[in-house]
Amino acid sequence: MSEVRVRFAPSPTGYLHIGGARTALFNWLYARKTGGKFVLRIEDTDEARNSEAAIQVIIDSLRWLGLDWDEGPTSADPKGESRGGFGPYFQSERGDIYRKRVEELLASDKAYERDGAIRFRMQREPVIINDLVIGQVNRNLTDREELDPDFVIFRSDGKPIFHLVNVVDDIEMRITHVIRGEDHVSNTAKHIALFRAFGVEPPKFAHIPLILNANGSKMSKRDEGASLTGYMESGFIPEAVINYLSLLGWSPKDDRQLISKSELIQLFDIPQILRSNGRFDAAKLAWMNAEHIKLLPAERFRALCIEWLGKAGIKTDGYSSEYIQAALETCREKIKLMPNIRDFAAFYFTEDPVMSEDALAALGPDYKPCLSKLRDAYSQLGVFDADTLQTSLKIVAAELGVKVGLLIHPARVACTGSKIGPSLYHLMEVLGKDRVLKRFDLLLAFRLERAG
């Protein structure tokens, strides 16, 4: 088989839709699976609707997902250079190619001019589409099209139409497989006819199912959750988004749910793309995100946490790498979205944690004797690890004749300023003896001042 060549060809008219991101992913996975090439092509011929900002959003979104493309203009190209490196292709820069191809059609009488526009002579017989996903489609002409099935490929203002540039670029870029949304099936008959008019065998088509909202309606650009940028900004991680998108319209043979990108490359294939539409489930994506956070390698987890702590104004400078790593690891099981790291780890990176009012109010009037007794016991410890701290706390509770909760809550508030947080004994081990005793003292003094 010749080299597989696929492409993702978005129009830069807004953010990257979650459906577009899935189309890009399926193309990228198939290229990586087969050792082929993944081409990024920006369909920016509609000047009135395109924007430079939207182009950058598409590029940034694909880079965030880790979907790298394999070719395009070199960094010497003005647009390529302005975006840092190589590619993508821009249809707005390929006008000479389209005009040359139209001249071919005019010369062979496969196109003609009418009212200043150039129209393609569409075949009159039905077009058979052998789709790799939906099977054979017999595209009959509608009653309206039977009267005049020809269609415009160049407008009277000299601008090429989508159908022409799409096919010409697929020919020029030697695309072997067109993997795109099922809503494009209606265009495919015209595209096949154009391919054949140029004397080129059409690529293989694979139209993938639509993404629906939870209520069964088609997910449009205006629907909540439709923008990939929203997931990037709200603290989802690309590992989870890629995993989730892969399962919207595709399924591995073993029906696994948590799959890494490297595993997806090995498992993905077009025959496993489902025929039925996928329903977007925000709760499942959130669950998957939390699970993938748990699976992150230590260095990547640390880098993400530091990034999101920085966004919240929390600096980790001045702390040892060992301390930072140990502190963040105590939070890993608690985090659902990356911004959650602030709620669970901020106290590690300040000398005096901020005491929340609800945490202080929940202490009750008798916290002082318990916390003081625990402080005395902890001050005598030679080993300050989680197991020893837990054993010591239980001994103090028994001596006082109270439940361990009457010690756990004030100890947590003292150390974190909050009622929630990582495992108490593990967070105290990370903080270390000196910090823990100091924080116990601060809470005791703080409450005494308020009581006086």
Side-chain angles (χ1 to χ4, degrees):
M1 184 178 74
S2 61
E3 179 187 58
V4 166
R5 294 178 60 85
V6 295
R7 46 74 166 179
F8 177 53
S11 298
T13 57
Y15 57 77
L16 182 59
H17 186 274
I18 202 78
R22 184 196 58 169
T23 297
L25 174 62
F26 279 18
N27 278 278
W28 184 88
L29 286 172
Y30 192 60
R32 297 295 172 263
K33 167 80 173 184
T34 59
K37 293 291 191 294
F38 174 62
V39 176
L40 175 61
R41 184 173 80 215
I42 306 296
E43 297 192 339
D44 61 341
T45 55
D46 189 344
E47 296 176 2
R49 298 180 62 212
N50 299 332
S51 74
E52 185 71 18
I55 292 172
Q56 195 61 52
V57 165
I58 291 169
I59 292 172
D60 290 345
S61 298
L62 293 178
R63 285 178 174 161
W64 182 78
L65 288 170
L67 306 184
D68 53 325
W69 50 97
D70 297 310
E71 64 181 51
T74 66
S75 59
D77 175 82
K79 283 195 173 182
E81 188 174 19
S82 70
R83 294 176 178 81
F86 145 114
Y89 292 105
F90 292 89
Q91 286 186 334
S92 59
E93 299 174 349
R94 299 169 60 80
D96 290 345
I97 297 172
Y98 307 138
R99 283 187 285 273
K100 180 181 176 181
R101 287 289 189 169
V102 166
E103 290 298 326
E104 291 179 24
L105 295 177
L106 288 169
S108 61
D109 199 33
K110 294 173 183 174
Y112 60 93
E113 186 175 346
R114 179 190 291 177
D115 300 326
I118 298 175
R119 297 167 62 85
F120 176 69
R121 293 189 191 279
M122 182 62 181
Q123 66 184 69
R124 268 52 181 173
E125 65 274 12
V127 178
I128 305 299
I129 305 168
N130 292 307
D131 194 275
L132 298 177
V133 175
I134 62 180
Q136 188 178 94
V137 178
N138 189 338
R139 196 70 182 174
N140 288 303
L141 303 177
T142 65
D143 292 338
R144 181 183 64 80
E145 288 175 332
E146 284 178 358
L147 298 176
D148 184 9
D150 299 349
F151 57 92
V152 173
I153 53 176
F154 245 78
R155 297 198 303 254
S156 58
D157 62 3
K159 301 296 184 183
I161 295 296
F162 159 76
H163 302 298
L164 175 76
V165 296
N166 187 279
V167 168
V168 168
D169 281 342
D170 282 349
I171 293 171
E172 295 283 333
M173 297 172 188
R174 308 187 312 282
I175 300 303
T176 62
H177 294 73
V178 173
I179 304 171
R180 60 187 181 185
E182 190 175 309
D183 49 337
H184 282 288
V185 171
S186 60
N187 299 321
T188 305
K190 293 177 179 179
H191 295 179
I192 288 175
L194 277 167
F195 278 110
R196 290 175 176 159
F198 286 119
V200 175
E201 184 64 23
K204 295 177 181 178
F205 289 92
H207 288 93
I208 60 181
L210 302 177
I211 297 178
L212 307 180
N213 292 307
N215 62 8
S217 62
K218 179 183 175 183
M219 180 177 277
S220 72
K221 286 190 172 183
R222 294 178 298 275
D223 289 330
E224 183 179 357
S227 167
L228 184 68
T229 303
Y231 298 100
M232 297 165 63
E233 294 176 345
S234 59
F236 285 84
I237 61 173
E239 291 87 343
V241 175
I242 284 175
N243 186 170
Y244 183 70
L245 288 179
S246 72
L247 298 177
L248 282 176
W250 171 83
S251 177
K253 293 179 179 178
D254 57 5
D255 292 326
R256 274 190 295 159
Q257 296 297 302
L258 297 176
I259 314 174
S260 68
K261 188 193 288 188
S262 60
E263 289 177 306
L264 283 172
I265 292 171
Q266 297 299 317
L267 294 169
F268 184 84
D269 207 352
I270 290 176
Q272 277 126 31
I273 294 177
L274 305 176
R275 182 67 188 89
S276 57
N277 294 324
R279 292 207 180 198
F280 193 83
D281 185 339
K284 182 175 180 179
L285 173 56
W287 167 81
M288 194 168 282
N289 197 70
E291 294 302 309
H292 271 281
I293 287 174
K294 295 174 186 176
L295 298 171
L296 286 173
E299 285 302 312
R300 173 145 171 77
F301 177 69
R302 173 181 170 176
L304 284 171
C305 288
I306 290 174
E307 175 190 345
W308 282 93
L309 286 170
K311 290 179 180 180
I314 299 166
K315 298 184 181 300
T316 58
D317 301 343
Y319 296 90
S320 71
S321 59
E322 294 79 12
Y323 176 81
I324 294 171
Q325 190 73 45
L328 297 176
E329 286 296 339
T330 65
C331 307
R332 189 190 283 258
E333 296 288 324
K334 301 286 186 177
I335 300 172
K336 309 300 181 186
L337 297 169
M338 288 313 304
N340 298 154
I341 191 63
R342 175 184 180 177
D343 301 327
F344 291 100
F347 71 89
Y348 281 120
F349 305 106
T350 179
E351 292 308 306
D352 300 324
V354 177
M355 303 289 177
S356 70
E357 289 298 325
D358 63 332
L360 291 170
L363 284 172
D366 300 324
Y367 85 95
K368 180 182 175 182
C370 294
L371 188 59
S372 296
K373 182 75 172 176
L374 184 61
R375 190 235 184 262
D376 291 341
Y378 280 175
S379 70
Q380 301 301 314
L381 293 178
V383 176
F384 209 76
D385 61 20
D387 289 341
T388 304
L389 292 167
Q390 182 177 20
T391 299
S392 181
L393 185 143
K394 289 180 177 179
I395 291 171
V396 172
E399 290 175 352
L400 292 172
V402 299
K403 294 181 178 179
V404 294
L406 291 178
L407 296 173
I408 288 174
H409 182 64
R412 179 178 295 283
V413 175
C415 290
T416 70
S418 174
K419 294 191 295 184
I420 64 169
S423 161
L424 174 63
Y425 307 111
H426 290 90
L427 74 84
M428 288 194 295
E429 177 181 338
V430 173
L431 285 171
K433 184 175 182 178
D434 291 344
R435 284 194 185 96
V436 169
L437 296 181
K438 179 185 175 183
R439 294 186 183 198
F440 278 18
D441 290 340
L442 287 172
L443 179 57
L444 290 167
F446 178 79
R447 294 298 291 174
L448 287 171
E449 288 170 8
R450 287 186 55 148

